[in-house]
Amino acid sequence: MIQAASAIINGKAVSGDGPEVALLNPTTEEKLTGFAEAGADLVDQAAQAARAAFRDGRWRNKSVEERQKVLRRIADALEARTDELAEIETSNTGIPITQTRGRHVGRAAHNFRFFADYIGQTAGQLYDQAPEHLTFVRRQPVGVAALIAPWNAPIALGSMKIAAAIAFGNSCVMKPSEIAPLSIQRIVEIIHEAGLPEGVVNLVNGRGATTGDALVRHPETNVVSFTGGTVTGRTILATAGSLLKPGVMELGGKSANIIFDSADYERALDGALLGIFTNNGQQCLAGSRILVQKSIADRFIEEFVARAQRLKIGSPFDTSTNLGPVITANQRDRVLGFVDIATAGGGKLLTGGRKAPGFEKGYFVEPTVVLAADPRAKVCQEEIFGPFATILTFETPDEAFAIANDSSFGLVSYVWTEDHYLALRAQEELEAGVVWINTPMMRELRAPFSGWKDSGVGAQSGRDCEAFYTNQKTVTMSRHPLNLPKLGK
Ligand code: NAD
């Protein structure tokens, strides 16, 4: 296991003198490692290092071809270390190794390759309508990006932020979650081994209210890219706004997964299970509110529950495991606390709802399914963030859309139907930044990923990241010597 550092500044691990933060293995509850939190002084050193790297142009002034070469080398290096990174991630988060090894590291490599390709195709605008002037618009990097990541998919989400920020020539300071910082720390080391100049990507480790807040407020950070909870996002955007720093916020969700009776039944059932139980249920985009049409509801619910009961709970290092532990004891207690909330709100517990039996150690939670009585009930409205599915039934498409939209969140929606007119109507009606039709999850980096309502502000995609991580500059030139009024002559 790697040794956690307080920070990586100019490519070197640095120790801080802040309070000790211990990192636990959620499977064994044993201490993995720990670090002294980076305080305001280390945040300042990291931000100054990023600024110095930006100012002297060691990265932003490289040709696009040179930047592409480094980004692709990083992608190759990440792939070459798939096993190592997956093991770190699984130890620190409890996400099954089949998922960290099979998808998360590959996604990280893809993030760097995607932005390498993207920057080879960007273009400015030219306006030549004015007879005497030619105006062109170019984009230049914003400077230093503050990047703040959550614990639920650090490799995939953290790498996206770093790749997007640096591809356009920026420097950055990344702050991973204090609960699961190890994989991102290793990625930052690998990035340097792959040849990125020192100082372009820096890292600080610590808690949100201290290290994270200092990073958002630091005068040398120009923009803030945040992924995490809605309450945190509100705080960060308020701070960033008071300093006139743009922020992109990817926040929580309570996404509706609508199963119409016109669905390919088996595929919809598979998709519904994947939608809520992948990543141990800890996904912003989890299909956590399953809406089933009444005509198929009895059969669907019975089979969904039976399949949930058969999920293999176990060590996330075992390749046959479907469900590992949730991230912390607090998270386990929070998730289980929703059982009482559900029943108090008229819901019926169909399965689960306990610590998984047979595990003396580890934050294992049984796959839990609740049939809710009222779409307004708390269990249908709040993000639970664990292996906890809430099911509701509906009669008509209108009712399904109304229930789906009756939420403060609007991250993604899933729709299962073979009726393409109904699918088209659904994507029209649903209030969500992403609608997945007959697919459990597909992250197309070319297209925006954006939460509506309390699920976010701003978007991420090739174009959205270009807009976010660059400033526009409008340049106007006269086409020929102008006949100017000669004031004072
Ligand atoms: P969190 O909001 O508790 O923490 C996220 C990050 O913000 C951490 O690094 C934390 O240290 C930092 N932070 C906390 N307070 C801060 C402050 N005042 N200033 C600066 N930084 C601060 O979220 P989490 O528990 O780590 O992650 C789970 C949440 O993330 C869920 O709500 C989930 O839906 C959301 N999420 C959203 C997306 C998305 O793309 N929309 C993706 C993954 C996770």
Side-chain angles (χ1 to χ4, degrees), residues 216-263:
V216 174
R217 289 180 192 277
H218 197 284
E220 294 296 352
T221 59
N222 300 97
V223 295
V224 182
S225 171
F226 170 75
T227 301
T230 294
V231 173
T232 316
R234 244 186 250 283
T235 306
I236 291 180
L237 196 57
T239 305
S242 72
L243 298 164
L244 294 181
K245 294 185 192 186
V248 62
M249 304 285 122
E250 292 196 330
L251 309 177
K254 186 78 181 181
S255 297
N257 189 351
I258 308 176
I259 324 277
F260 288 106
D261 60 9
S262 50

Side-chain angles (χ1 to χ4, degrees), residues 149-152 175 178 208 212 226-229 232 250-252 284 383 385:
W151 49 259
N152 66 307
K175 193 204 86 64
E178 64 277 26
F226 170 75
T227 301
T232 316
E250 292 196 330
L251 309 177
C284 58
E383 185 181 46
F385 222 60

Side-chain angles (χ1 to χ4, degrees), residues 191-478:
I191 282 173
H192 287 98
E193 288 159 22
L196 186 80
E198 289 166 1
V200 177
V201 174
N202 305 275
L203 171 120
V204 287
N205 275 330
R207 292 163 298 167
T210 44
T211 314
D213 184 63
L215 184 58
V216 174
R217 289 180 192 277
H218 197 284
E220 294 296 352
T221 59
N222 300 97
V223 295
V224 182
S225 171
F226 170 75
T227 301
T230 294
V231 173
T232 316
R234 244 186 250 283
T235 306
I236 291 180
L237 196 57
T239 305
S242 72
L243 298 164
L244 294 181
K245 294 185 192 186
V248 62
M249 304 285 122
E250 292 196 330
L251 309 177
K254 186 78 181 181
S255 297
N257 189 351
I258 308 176
I259 324 277
F260 288 106
D261 60 9
S262 50
D264 174 331
Y265 179 89
E266 285 300 327
R267 208 157 271 137
L269 186 56
D270 293 343
L273 286 151
L274 284 168
I276 183 61
F277 294 118
T278 304
N279 226 54
N280 301 334
Q282 300 168 136
Q283 296 198 97
C284 58
L285 43 76
S288 51
R289 272 190 307 154
I290 301 172
L291 278 48
V292 195
Q293 197 150 19
K294 283 217 166 99
S295 45
I296 56 165
D298 288 349
R299 178 181 165 209
F300 187 92
I301 293 169
E302 191 186 320
E303 293 182 13
F304 183 89
V305 168
R307 298 257 307 257
Q309 287 166 340
R310 285 203 295 274
L311 292 182
K312 179 147 185 282
I313 308 173
S315 163
F317 280 99
D318 182 339
T319 52
S320 65
T321 290
N322 302 124
L323 206 59
V326 299
I327 188 89
T328 56
N330 274 346
Q331 186 67 8
R332 176 197 59 201
D333 297 344
R334 188 176 172 277
V335 171
L336 292 177
F338 271 93
V339 174
D340 286 344
I341 293 174
T343 46
K348 187 171 160 205
L349 179 66
L350 301 180
T351 189
R354 298 175 303 173
K355 291 181 188 174
F359 293 91
E360 252 171 51
K361 290 277 173 196
Y363 312 124
F364 293 94
V365 172
E366 285 181 324
T368 300
V369 185
V370 158
L371 181 63
D374 176 1
R376 293 298 310 155
K378 223 170 161 186
V379 74
C380 301
Q381 293 293 326
E382 292 197 7
E383 185 181 46
I384 300 176
F385 222 60
F388 192 125
T390 303
I391 301 184
L392 285 154
T393 58
F394 65 90
E395 300 265 9
T396 63
D398 283 342
E399 198 190 343
F401 304 142
I403 296 172
N405 292 339
D406 183 10
S407 169
S408 60
F409 294 112
L411 193 56
V412 309
S413 281
Y414 303 77
V415 177
W416 297 87
T417 176
E418 296 294 291
D419 174 347
H420 77 274
Y421 295 114
L422 181 56
L424 276 173
R425 238 202 102 203
Q427 63 76 34
E428 179 72 33
E429 297 287 340
L430 290 168
E431 296 167 2
V434 175
V435 180
W436 281 312
I437 297 172
N438 296 332
T439 182
M441 182 206 160
M442 193 285 172
R443 182 71 175 88
E444 168 57 88
L445 295 186
R446 297 171 192 86
F449 186 78
S450 63
W452 289 18
K453 304 195 262 187
D454 287 355
S455 289
V457 175
Q460 303 222 50
S461 70
R463 271 158 66 178
D464 289 295
C465 288
E466 181 186 1
F468 183 71
Y469 288 111
T470 60
N471 282 325
Q472 301 193 76
K473 184 177 278 175
T474 297
V475 183
T476 297
M477 300 174 76
S478 67

Side-chain angles (χ1 to χ4, degrees), residues 20-25 28-35:
E20 162 89 4
V21 178
L23 299 176
L24 299 185
N25 179 334
T28 62
E29 303 184 23
E30 281 162 12
K31 184 176 168 186
L32 282 170
T33 173
F35 60 88

